[in-house]
Amino acid sequence: MTPSPAPPVPLPDLVPSLRADLAAAGFTVDGIAEALGPMANDALGREQMLPADLATRDAGTPLATLVRLFTLGRPVPAEAVSAALPTLGLEGLERLGLVTVGEGRVRATCDLHPHADERHSWWVASDLSEMATGAALAPDHVLGIGGASTTLAAWTPRPQVDRALDMGTGCGVQALHLSGHAGSTVATDLSRRALDFAAFNAAVNGLELDLRCGSLFEPVAGQRFQLIVSNPPFVITPRVSDVPLFEYRDGGLAGDALVEAVVRTIGEHLEPGGIGQFLGNWEVAEGADWRDRVRGWLEGTGLDAWVIQRDVQDPAQYAELWARDGGNVPGTPEHDAMYAAWLADFASRGVGSVGFGVVTVQRPATARDTWVELVEESGPVSSPMGPAILAGVRARTWLAEHGDAGVLATAWRCAEDVTEERHSRPGAEDPSVIVIRQGSGLRRGVRVDTVMAAFVSVCDGDLTAGQALEAIAALLEQDAGEVRAAALPVVRGLVADGFLIPA
Ligand SMILES: C[S@@+](CC[C@H](N)C(=O)[O-])C[C@H]1O[C@@H](n2cnc3c(N)ncnc32)[C@H](O)[C@@H]1O
């Protein structure tokens, strides 16, 4: 296998010119979407380059040149590149290590992409994708922004913090997001190449990152943060000679041991009240419940935890996804050897399925019992989800600190996004099913009885929960104590999930 190209170099005298030229060309998420049109842009999202190739082939604009060079990995005439980057020039681009030039053609050594959230936009360099090179990814590949990166970024709670950590930073995408709401950001990776890309990306975006090389939390031994994010190398990979170590997605341990290590040790690096947010895969033994496995990892950590399983795959589905990811073509002997190795690896541990989920942990700021919630939610959710995660952590913490007495003494208000559905048999007077549903966050629907439906309908911030339940019990001629006891766990759940908020 040919060695991977050297990462770009953030030469301080040239980076401002690059930034100015990219901005002037309109090399932004919206600019590219507009230039390509929805069909070609969506096709790129599915890793299909042909429509974007056709849309940019004869356009002749600086933006089209940059897309062809850095997204599609096409050789581009030297004059077109010089015209697209008039301040930096072709020589400057070469000195930054972003391209090589030969026979009047310019080739990108890496991918360069605009990336944005609701309030910021960045440029992010990474290794060229498999789509651009047509070759399988090298084991030391530095990933660009993929589905897992955007999932984690979307689910990350973003309070303003003094110090944040991105563990396994890769090209630095999570660290760029953190820079928007953290006083300082430490970003670590086992891969030197990855850290070089992250350093380049920090410089291009005018940001400072404290970059450290090492495994897991080793580079931050003895240090604590208010927010830790990680899209760790969680892919479960057989440790056999047929399957290489894919450093960019697999931490080199057997099974799900790397995710277990993150769960067990992240708390040592969280300040009181600090939050950790990361993605993971977990193995589930035939006939077992995934919750027991993840709960076991959390035991003794002293952390609050909210684990949301989003997807489950059987061993074959998992093997198909990861044996093919990175460019191994199904049907080839190499691919089939990998597929078989995955199946044998799972069978050796009696694994019946693999869960994928998002983990939120918090080190409690006060002396109290921890809360731990493990749920399955596979449906569509708000994007970004981070605000709902932060609100959910705060609500669960409030519940743990105030108990049932606090819930009853509080006047609650029904959140603006909550609606009620009533379903009845044709001709029936009363509904047989009442569901209250939220329009944002996890977009949960909760089936409630008539008492709870009445309770939610009077939650306008006037009466405390205790007063409202007493009034409803009197109206329905039921025992107030029994009504309260039955309602409290449901009210707590509605508060935790943001259906009810303090008035
Ligand atoms: C899935 S990528 C995530 C990259 C980036 N943070 C993102 O969200 O797209 C995982 C990263 O973890 C790094 N890595 C692999 N093993 C590691 C380890 N033992 N400790 C820390 N980082 C590791 C890889 O080099 C890679 O950059």
Side-chain angles (χ1 to χ4, degrees):
M1 191 171 270
T2 46
S4 300
V9 191
L11 298 174
D13 55 326
L14 295 179
V15 162
S17 305
L18 173 66
R19 206 183 299 148
D21 284 341
L22 295 176
F27 194 56
T28 61
V29 173
D30 291 345
I32 293 176
E34 198 181 322
L36 294 182
M39 185 187 72
N41 201 44
D42 289 355
L44 262 190
R46 298 190 301 274
E47 306 200 341
Q48 295 296 328
M49 294 201 302
L50 187 66
D53 188 346
L54 294 172
T56 53
R57 197 170 284 177
D58 301 317
T61 61
L63 182 54
T65 300
L66 294 173
V67 169
R68 294 188 69 73
L69 185 65
F70 288 120
T71 308
L72 307 183
R74 297 282 189 259
V76 175
E79 318 80 70
V81 176
S82 298
L85 299 155
T87 321
L88 179 65
L90 181 54
E91 197 202 320
L93 196 61
E94 218 179 343
R95 281 181 57 211
L96 286 173
L98 288 165
V99 296
T100 56
V101 187
E103 296 169 7
R105 317 283 284 174
V106 182
R107 282 179 186 274
T109 56
C110 65
D111 182 295
L112 183 65
H113 243 79
H115 176 62
D117 69 7
E118 297 71 33
R119 289 185 299 130
H120 310 89
S121 60
W122 305 278
W123 290 289
V124 179
S126 59
D127 273 322
L128 280 167
S129 67
E130 169 210 341
M131 167 179 87
T133 61
L137 301 184
D140 66 350
H141 182 81
V142 176
L143 283 176
I145 299 164
S149 329
T150 48
T151 298
L152 177 63
W155 282 70
T156 296
R158 302 202 178 276
Q160 186 64 41
V161 294
D162 292 336
R163 274 190 102 214
L165 168 67
D166 173 17
M167 195 274 282
T169 194
C171 64
V173 53
Q174 308 300 335
L176 297 181
H177 280 270
L178 289 174
S179 299
H181 59 107
S184 67
T185 303
V186 177
T188 68
D189 206 288
L190 189 61
S191 155
R192 247 292 133 219
R193 283 192 84 239
L195 291 172
D196 288 344
F197 272 104
F200 181 83
N201 291 331
V204 169
N205 293 291
L207 299 169
E208 271 193 28
L209 296 179
D210 178 347
L211 297 168
R212 304 186 192 179
C213 194
S215 184
L216 295 176
F217 296 105
E218 274 169 20
V220 293
Q223 297 184 23
R224 290 177 182 241
F225 301 84
Q226 288 162 313
L227 181 62
I228 299 179
V229 303
S230 186
N231 172 10
F234 59 77
V235 178
I236 298 167
T237 308
R239 308 263 69 101
V240 292
S241 57
D242 277 344
V243 183
L245 191 153
F246 300 97
E247 196 181 47
Y248 58 90
R249 66 177 207 207
D250 140 38
L253 302 184
D256 52 16
L258 188 126
V259 177
E260 176 179 0
V262 175
V263 174
R264 289 193 189 277
T265 57
I266 190 170
E268 295 162 25
H269 302 283
L270 286 173
E271 296 279 11
I275 294 176
Q277 183 79 19
F278 53 98
L279 306 179
N281 269 147
W282 32 84
E283 295 185 339
V284 189
E286 205 78 60
D289 187 333
W290 69 274
R291 294 175 189 80
D292 295 335
R293 181 163 186 80
V294 179
R295 196 180 285 111
W297 294 347
L298 287 160
E299 257 160 35
T301 61
L303 296 176
D304 298 321
W306 188 10
V307 185
I308 303 179
Q309 180 169 282
R310 297 283 291 154
D311 195 15
V312 187
Q313 291 182 310
D314 68 27
Q317 290 170 317
Y318 195 86
E320 284 157 27
L321 175 66
W322 293 111
R324 188 172 43 209
D325 177 80
N328 290 295
V329 183
T332 58
E334 296 77 24
H335 173 273
D336 287 356
M338 284 212 208
Y339 194 156
W342 249 281
L343 294 181
D345 185 50
F346 284 133
S348 73
R349 289 187 297 277
V351 175
S353 61
V354 180
F356 164 79
V358 188
V359 182
T360 309
V361 293
Q362 175 182 240
R363 171 164 292 291
T366 56
R368 58 165 171 81
D369 289 343
T370 56
W371 51 263
V372 174
E373 199 173 309
L374 301 113
V375 291
E376 292 172 7
E377 291 290 348
S378 56
V381 298
S382 278
S383 188
M385 247 315 270
I389 292 291
L390 186 58
V393 168
R394 299 253 154 95
R396 284 163 176 79
T397 302
W398 187 94
L399 287 165
E401 287 174 348
H402 293 81
D404 288 347
V407 173
L408 291 170
T410 300
W412 300 99
R413 198 164 51 77
C414 185
E416 291 297 326
D417 64 332
V418 174
T419 51
E420 186 190 84
E421 297 165 9
R422 288 179 175 244
H423 305 266
S424 6
R425 297 283 305 150
E429 252 179 48
D430 295 322
S432 43
V433 175
I434 309 173
V435 175
I436 52 170
R437 195 174 291 286
Q438 56 187 174
S440 60
L442 287 172
R443 298 188 179 156
R444 274 187 166 161
V446 177
R447 190 170 168 176
V448 291
D449 60 14
T450 42
V451 170
M452 277 316 296
F455 176 76
V456 173
S457 73
V458 299
C459 278
D460 57 5
D462 254 5
L463 298 177
T464 65
Q467 289 166 333
L469 289 169
E470 195 152 326
I472 291 167
L475 204 70
L476 298 175
E477 297 179 355
Q478 292 183 15
D479 177 77
E482 283 174 19
V483 166
R484 215 173 17 245
L488 261 170
V490 188
V491 176
R492 292 179 68 93
L494 295 178
V495 170
D497 284 335
F499 287 78
L500 298 177
I501 49 184

